[in-house]
Amino acid sequence: MPHQQEHPKPQRNIISLMVETSSTNSIKIGTKMFSTQFVVIFSLFLSLPILFLLAPRIFPSHNPSIPISPSDEQEDFVLFRKAIASASASATHYPSAHSHLTSKSKKLKIAFLFLTNTDLFFAPLWEQFFKSADKNLFNIYVHADPHSNVTKPSGIFFSHFIPDAKRTYRASPTLISATRRLLANAILDDPTNTYFAVLSQYCIPLHSFKYVYNSLISSKSFDLSSPESDPESTQYNMKIQHKSFIEIISKERRLWKRYVARGKYAMMPEVPFQKFRTGSQFFILTRRHALMVIEDRRLWNKFKLPCYREDECYPEEHYFPTLLSMQDPDGCTKYTLTKVNWTGTRNGHPYTYKAAEISPVLIQKLRQSNYSSSYLFARKFEPICLNPLMKIADKVIFRD
């Protein structure tokens, strides 16, 4: 049997073996890298909501405060000096928080001050409000941001836009300046302006003009926080004493953070923390207090300072309550007459009512107050609420 030659087993090429080994390792490494990257990305994705919630606390926001230009401030001071001089020289002595009215001939007025950076959405409703009022019992003043292209509504508002309006920014001292300009214009314009009601384009009336006027000027029982039982508390159907309806809060959980928003010692020594207050920027001041506001320089120099924390900086909610609390606490009711719903507030904005929510029941609910016979105004409403509000205006809103 012939010898059968045995064929040798093919030898594996060393290079191919190395390539195969390298490929296997690459796959393993690639798999590990892919797995690691996936875990990292997935973890970051899960942490986004937490970062979103904590970011304002961990990383202070960029300073939102817009400095007020020296030229604007100088123009304001000139206006304020004119108003103060006019009030001092006026033959009609202005009623104050503790004034005594001695003349039956005096017709005291309410100055309605509208602060806006958009169109006056509810102008038609306010037209209805003023329609039945005696024209000698009120004045209207509008501060419209000149950079916002606000359209002047026809009718009663058209000729009442103040000429020296300046740009405004939310949560900045510019809103303090705008309010002071409104007060100064109203003081300068008419010495019989007795109350000064600060409102916004999102505010609506909750009662007729007659109800509002009587509540502020003559009612002895409207203010439930300090009932006046003295039969001599009114004279000629007018209250002898008038107080400002301004919210003044001394205990609020974030008050310290708001106090140090400009720096821990920035407000010292003029405003120690024990004197720092907060409250609504929508209030009704007496003439005496309106003059206090435009005369002030000392506290203004502190509250105009820029903040470094956007989420804690609302100077327009602190300046007025702090100033009046320090200068005349007994002349203030310490509550506002403008109803605001803070349920579900976001980024410092109150709840905004929608058209579907407008009803007689809502109006009645908004009127309810623990401090006065009723709230007189309310906010905040979507512009689309105008039509349903107009439908119930005569039968509900203006029926007291």
Side-chain angles (χ1 to χ4, degrees):
M1 184 174 181
H3 178 70
Q4 188 173 8
Q5 186 176 3
E6 184 176 351
H7 298 283
K9 294 181 179 178
Q11 298 293 319
R12 298 183 68 178
N13 189 294
I14 296 176
I15 295 176
S16 64
L17 186 61
M18 290 175 64
V19 169
E20 181 177 324
T21 304
S22 176
S23 299
T24 302
N25 290 337
S26 297
I27 292 170
K28 291 180 180 180
I29 293 172
T31 303
K32 288 182 178 180
M33 289 180 65
F34 174 77
S35 177
T36 303
Q37 290 174 353
F38 177 80
V39 170
V40 171
I41 293 172
F42 186 72
S43 299
L44 287 172
F45 178 78
L46 289 177
S47 65
L48 281 176
I50 299 174
L51 288 172
F52 178 80
L53 291 172
L54 296 180
R57 305 286 187 271
I58 301 173
F59 307 105
S61 303
H62 176 69
N63 177 17
S65 298
I66 308 297
I68 296 172
S69 71
S71 61
D72 284 355
E73 190 159 15
Q74 183 59 35
E75 287 180 17
D76 285 346
F77 287 161
V78 171
L79 171 65
F80 299 162
R81 283 196 293 268
K82 286 181 180 178
I84 294 166
S86 174
S88 299
S90 175
T92 306
H93 185 71
Y94 57 83
S96 72
H98 302 285
S99 68
H100 293 267
L101 309 179
T102 58
S103 173
K104 188 175 181 179
S105 63
K106 290 179 181 178
K107 281 197 171 183
L108 307 182
K109 297 180 182 179
I110 301 173
F112 292 84
L113 315 179
F114 291 86
L115 184 61
T116 185
N117 59 0
T118 67
D119 290 347
L120 294 172
F121 306 121
F122 301 109
L125 183 63
W126 285 103
E127 287 270 359
Q128 287 289 96
F129 173 79
F130 292 116
K131 186 177 179 180
S132 61
D134 182 341
K135 301 300 185 288
N136 295 314
L137 298 181
F138 71 91
N139 285 305
I140 298 171
Y141 307 87
V142 182
H143 184 292
D145 186 331
H147 294 263
S148 299
N149 297 318
V150 175
T151 303
K152 291 184 179 181
S154 59
I156 200 168
F157 285 97
F158 185 79
S159 59
H160 295 286
F161 283 66
I162 64 173
D164 41 20
K166 304 286 192 300
R167 192 165 192 176
T168 55
Y169 299 87
R170 179 177 176 266
S172 82
T174 60
L175 290 176
I176 299 175
S177 295
T179 304
R180 295 174 89 194
R181 279 182 218 114
L182 281 167
L183 292 169
N185 272 275
I187 290 171
L188 190 59
D189 178 59
D190 193 334
T192 62
N193 280 332
T194 303
Y195 271 115
F196 301 76
V198 181
L199 303 160
S200 81
Q201 71 271 39
Y202 298 105
C203 289
I204 68 164
L206 293 176
H207 287 281
S208 68
F209 176 86
K210 181 179 179 181
Y211 182 94
V212 171
Y213 187 87
N214 290 339
S215 297
L216 296 176
I217 302 298
S218 60
S219 175
K220 294 188 297 182
S221 58
F222 178 73
D223 179 12
L224 303 180
S225 66
S226 56
E228 297 174 338
S229 56
D230 185 354
E232 298 183 358
S233 62
T234 60
Q235 186 174 345
Y236 308 118
N237 292 322
M238 300 290 178
K239 283 192 294 188
I240 293 176
Q241 293 187 340
H242 292 82
K243 289 188 176 183
S244 289
F245 293 87
I246 178 170
E247 187 176 47
I248 299 177
I249 300 173
S250 59
K251 295 181 180 179
E252 200 266 344
R253 66 185 184 89
R254 304 193 70 83
L255 200 61
W256 171 251
K257 290 187 177 181
R258 291 193 175 193
Y259 178 75
V260 299
R262 298 166 185 82
K264 191 171 183 179
Y265 303 105
M267 303 299 286
M268 293 292 290
E270 288 81 357
V271 187
F273 176 64
Q274 292 75 14
K275 301 288 186 179
F276 189 69
R277 299 291 185 265
T278 188
S280 171
Q281 71 181 102
F282 302 102
F283 43 72
I284 303 176
L285 300 186
T286 61
R287 190 176 183 89
R288 178 171 180 262
H289 287 162
L291 279 164
M292 278 185 187
V293 168
I294 64 172
E295 287 171 347
D296 172 63
R297 298 288 183 274
R298 188 165 172 265
L299 265 62
W300 164 246
N301 287 331
K302 290 296 183 179
F303 281 93
K304 73 177 183 180
L305 296 175
C307 297
Y308 67 87
R309 285 292 300 263
E310 180 180 4
D311 55 329
E312 303 293 352
C313 188
Y314 300 95
E316 71 278 14
E317 295 181 1
H318 298 284
Y319 172 74
F320 301 101
T322 301
L323 174 66
L324 295 183
S325 176
M326 291 178 70
Q327 293 201 17
D328 187 18
D330 293 335
C332 304
T333 63
K334 299 181 177 61
Y335 65 85
T336 180
L337 295 178
T338 300
K339 175 69 173 181
V340 180
N341 183 356
W342 288 105
T343 304
T345 179
R346 295 185 63 183
N347 300 321
H349 291 286
Y351 180 82
T352 302
Y353 291 98
K354 301 169 180 59
E357 297 176 88
I358 304 303
S359 69
V361 174
L362 176 64
I363 299 301
Q364 295 296 335
K365 183 178 179 181
L366 292 173
R367 288 174 173 175
Q368 296 173 6
S369 171
N370 294 325
Y371 307 103
S372 63
S373 297
S374 175
Y375 281 103
L376 300 183
F377 314 108
R379 65 186 294 269
K380 185 175 182 181
F381 295 82
E382 289 185 347
I384 200 172
C385 291
L386 176 61
N387 285 338
L389 284 169
M390 291 297 289
K391 289 179 180 178
I392 62 172
D394 290 332
K395 294 184 178 180
V396 179
I397 299 175
F398 302 140
R399 178 172 290 180
D400 306 314

